[in-house]
Structure formats: structure tokens, C-alpha cells
Amino acid sequence: GAVVSQHPSRVICKSGTSVKIECRSLDFQATTMFWYRQFPKQSLMLMATSNEGSKATYEQGVEKDKFLINHASLTLSTLTVTSAHPEDSSFYICSHSRDGQFFGPGTRLTVL
Amino acid sequence: KQEVTQIPAALSVPEGENLVLNCSFTDSAIYNLQWFRQDPGKGLTSLLLIQSSQREQTSGRLNASLDKSSGRSTLYIAASQPGDSATYLCAVIVGQGGKLIFGQGTELSVKP
């Protein structure tokens, strides 16, 4: 299957700071990547679809100015959580689609 | 609006038992359906992908079926092992773009 990496795997930050999460497709040029969020004991919810060279498509209820997505190359998409607050603490996972979906290992964000 | 439901939410079985996990979806117009496994604090591992034109897929001790007309899929695990303990997620793929809608998951515990 396809290989997707994420960095960092875990981050703790203070409230009000911004955090950038990287998602890399290691063996596939992905024109589209997806960002999901998972709160404890809950399932994954799609946040946005990241499109290479164009604007991301956000799901209803997801603030595009708070969750900035950049997909500048076919192998890298970044998610920046701006002015993070404790309620943004969650598990963020990216994926791309290639004969099914392949997910990164996830990033655990804790906002103090 | 597509909704995915998984039953049961949690399941505990003794080692060696065969078991079935259920997934239902409200809109039969799906592109594909995919089953994943998630270990605590980890990302998702793809188990089986069923194309919308297929009825089932098998991999080792796992067998997944799909009945689009009734909006149901099942994941059958044969001869369960303690290492099978994890959360199992069902997701439908909406459209060729690869967008996933997840169920809430079934938390499986296999006791030695």
C-alpha cells in the first residue's frame, strides 16, 4: 500500500500559538490529500480536502481561517492550526486516495 | 446526507471465536467501502477495500461483504486472536475523489 508520513507525531503548545503539521506522500504523487480530526473516543471527521496548486475545500463547520491548508507540491500538504485553543486539542490525521485511502500515523495536538 | 453506523460499539470475545462486525450506511450511492483497524493512539491501517461493484473481499482471516441495495457491510473475523484487539472502522467513499465518511467504530477486545 501507499506510504504516508506525518510530522510531528506529537506536539504540545500554549494557547494562542500556531502549530504546523506536515503530511507527506512518500511513494505517490497526490494531487488530493485529506485532513481528518479525531476527538477521544470518537470517529474520524473529515475537515478539508487539500488540492495541489489550488485552494482547499473545507467541510461545513470547519473554519478555513483557523485551519490553514497548503498543498504546494504533489508530495506535501500542511495543516496550520492558528491561534490554537484547548478545544483544538485532538488527533489530526491526513490521507490520500490510491485504490482506497491510506493514512498517515497521525499527530496528537495538545493545547494548554 | 450520508450517515454510517456501526454495531456493536464494543465487543468482547474469548480467543478463537468467530465474530461479525456490522456497518450500515444510509445512501447506497457509494463509490467504495473500506474497513480499517485503529490501535489506541495510532493511525489507521487499511484492512479491506470493496469496490461498489463487488460483493466481498477476503484477506487471510478477514472477510468483508457489501450489499449496496440494503446499505450494509459486514466484517467477519475468523478464529480471533488477542492481537486482533483494536477499534475497527468502516468508511464509505463518496465519489471518485476519495472523500471518506466514517462510522463510529467497534472496539474489539479478544481475551486470551
Side-chain angles (χ1 to χ4, degrees):
Chain A
V3 181
V4 182
S5 70
Q6 278 185 244
H7 177 79
S9 59
R10 189 179 296 269
V11 57
I12 300 173
C13 69
K14 293 182 179 180
S15 184
T17 60
S18 293
V19 175
K20 179 186 283 188
I21 302 170
E22 293 185 349
C23 175
R24 292 184 184 274
S25 175
L26 299 182
D27 62 347
F28 177 65
Q29 293 187 323
T31 56
T32 301
M33 301 180 86
F34 303 91
W35 286 96
Y36 295 82
R37 178 168 54 183
Q38 185 179 34
F39 291 107
K41 297 294 185 182
Q42 295 187 26
S43 193
L44 281 76
M45 295 295 292
L46 178 65
M47 298 176 65
T49 302
S50 172
N51 303 299
E52 189 268 334
S54 64
K55 291 182 179 180
T57 305
Y58 290 82
E59 294 300 301
Q60 191 172 8
V62 178
E63 300 174 58
K64 62 179 181 180
D65 294 329
K66 180 170 182 62
F67 298 99
L68 301 179
I69 292 173
N70 183 278
H71 193 155
S73 78
L74 289 172
T75 59
L76 174 64
S77 175
T78 61
L79 169 68
T80 301
V81 183
T82 63
S83 187
H85 291 286
E87 58 265 30
D88 298 323
S89 298
S90 186
F91 192 53
Y92 292 86
I93 310 180
C94 68
S95 74
H96 73 66
S97 178
R98 182 188 184 189
D99 294 331
Q101 288 266 338
F102 294 92
F103 285 81
T107 297
R108 173 75 59 193
L109 170 63
T110 302
V111 184
L112 303 176
Chain B
K1 178 186 175 185
Q2 178 72 270
E3 293 182 2
V4 181
T5 303
Q6 289 186 247
I7 295 173
L11 181 63
S12 182
V13 300
E15 182 177 5
E17 229 178 68
N18 301 324
L19 56 100
V20 175
L21 308 181
N22 297 291
C23 172
S24 62
F25 46 95
T26 55
D27 187 346
S28 62
I30 63 171
Y31 192 70
N32 293 323
L33 184 143
Q34 198 165 357
W35 283 91
F36 297 89
R37 168 187 173 137
Q38 185 177 31
D39 293 290
K42 304 291 185 182
L44 274 68
T45 300
S46 178
L47 297 173
L48 289 165
L49 170 70
I50 310 178
Q51 309 277 355
S52 62
S53 59
Q54 297 176 323
R55 299 282 292 183
E56 65 177 336
Q57 281 287 334
T58 299
S59 176
R61 294 183 293 110
L62 305 179
N63 176 276
S65 68
L66 173 63
D67 185 343
K68 273 185 60 178
S69 61
S70 66
R72 296 177 189 275
S73 176
T74 60
L75 179 66
Y76 175 82
I77 302 177
S80 59
Q81 303 171 357
D84 295 332
S85 298
T87 296
Y88 289 80
L89 293 161
C90 162
V92 296
I93 300 168
V94 180
Q96 199 168 353
K99 176 178 171 179
L100 281 175
I101 298 174
F102 281 88
Q104 292 295 98
T106 294
E107 188 173 354
L108 173 65
S109 176
V110 181
K111 305 295 186 184

